[in-house]
Amino acid sequence: MNAIKAANDSWVLITGASSGFGEEFARHYAALGHCLVLVARRLDRLEALASALRQQHHVNVVVEQVDLSAVAAVIALYKRLTERDIFIDILINNVGHGLQGPFLDANLDAAQAMVQLDIASLTAVTHVFAQDMRRRGRGKILLVASVPAYLGMENFAVYSAAKAYVLRLGEALHRELKPHGITVTTLCPGMSDTGFAAAAKQKITPALKLLMMQPAPVVRSGIRALESGRKSVVPGWANKAIVCFVWATPRWLHQAVFSRIMNA
């Protein structure tokens, strides 16, 4: 009882909270008794999730409909929360977008929007809330990357490059912010049943079906790694094997193999 009461004093901010991993993170932290700030563009889904979590777990849930692709909106979000005396203890930076297809066949605006959301906006959210954590001398940040962060993947050129940025940013900040009492962990999931594939117009090959994980074990893996202070984590034995294969083989080989797996 005391542990839950203490947890109620801490706030968790989750971006991309209306579905997929974001929704699963919200359910997990609500079950632990944390107060939540749920951020996404789809207000109806946020409100429905918030209502369910309040009723089931009796926690304080704040809903923020924000288009995080605009950096000004990130700063405005921080100001609104500060004015309400809401200070974030745990940041789950889950926002992101993907798109499968040949680089030159995609609309340039779509590629730029992916860079804006997956790189610029994630950086802005991390910077703004980490500043506040440093002032208070404590905090935890989980950045959600992807297994393609380890690969330059055909027909996922912008997405895999963006997730490589997230992974390297997280690795650097893990060491940089540790002296300030801030833990930074990067979660690199593989193929997961979150609705991402449909939104990214991704082909689900037979090999990908075998690799697919459910959101819950991915989220649990990320939270365990964050709580234990790890630099990064790849959930699932199959995904770990993929990363080991990447480390152990030349680029021409593993890029050819995974191009076939992802695009066959």
Side-chain angles (χ1 to χ4, degrees):
M1 189 70 173
N2 291 336
I4 292 179
K5 187 175 181 180
N8 279 332
D9 295 329
S10 62
W11 284 89
V12 181
L13 187 153
I14 303 168
T15 65
S18 60
S19 63
F21 292 138
E23 180 179 347
E24 192 64 36
F25 276 114
R27 294 186 184 281
H28 182 95
Y29 279 114
L32 294 176
H34 288 272
C35 304
L36 303 177
V37 178
L38 306 182
V39 181
R41 290 182 298 178
R42 294 179 288 185
L43 182 60
D44 56 338
R45 298 193 64 160
L46 284 179
E47 291 284 13
L49 176 60
S51 178
L53 295 179
R54 292 184 192 112
Q55 184 175 10
Q56 185 176 0
H57 299 291
H58 308 288
V59 293
N60 192 0
V61 184
V62 172
V63 168
E64 284 282 350
Q65 183 185 25
V66 182
D67 182 358
L68 292 172
S69 63
V71 173
V74 174
I75 296 171
L77 168 65
Y78 170 77
K79 289 181 177 178
R80 286 196 301 274
L81 296 178
T82 302
E83 288 168 359
R84 297 178 61 176
D85 290 326
I86 295 175
F87 300 99
I88 303 304
D89 299 284
I90 302 173
L91 170 62
I92 306 298
N93 214 338
N94 172 63
V95 67
H97 169 63
L99 189 64
Q100 183 178 23
F103 176 69
L104 294 181
D105 290 353
N107 186 288
L108 178 57
D109 289 342
Q112 289 182 314
M114 201 187 312
V115 171
Q116 181 64 32
L117 187 63
D118 292 11
I119 295 179
S121 296
L122 178 138
T123 303
V125 171
T126 304
H127 190 274
V128 167
F129 288 97
Q131 289 273 8
D132 192 60
M133 291 177 181
R134 183 172 66 173
R135 282 191 289 269
R136 291 182 290 123
R138 68 180 189 276
K140 296 181 185 296
I141 299 172
L142 184 73
L143 304 181
V144 179
S146 179
V147 167
Y150 295 93
L151 297 157
M153 194 172 290
E154 180 184 355
N155 291 327
F156 285 92
V158 176
Y159 177 73
S160 58
K163 290 304 183 180
Y165 171 87
V166 175
L167 176 59
R168 299 312 175 199
L169 176 70
E171 288 177 336
L173 294 183
H174 176 82
R175 296 182 63 85
E176 193 172 323
L177 300 184
K178 188 174 182 179
H180 302 288
I182 303 170
T183 299
V184 180
T185 299
T186 306
L187 172 64
C188 296
M191 193 69 195
S192 304
D193 188 13
T194 61
F196 171 87
K201 300 179 181 178
Q202 182 178 358
K203 302 172 186 175
I204 305 300
T205 66
L208 289 179
K209 287 182 181 179
L210 294 174
L211 295 172
M212 188 172 290
M213 292 182 66
Q214 293 301 310
V218 174
V219 165
R220 288 195 298 268
S221 179
I223 292 174
R224 284 196 301 268
L226 182 63
E227 291 299 320
S228 62
R230 292 178 59 184
K231 180 172 63 177
S232 62
V233 61
V234 177
W237 288 107
N239 293 322
K240 287 180 172 64
I242 289 171
V243 173
C244 288
F245 178 72
V246 170
W247 286 337
T249 59
R251 288 183 180 179
W252 69 265
L253 176 57
H254 60 245
Q255 288 180 352
V257 170
F258 288 107
S259 175
R260 183 64 181 269
I261 290 173
M262 296 295 289
N263 295 291

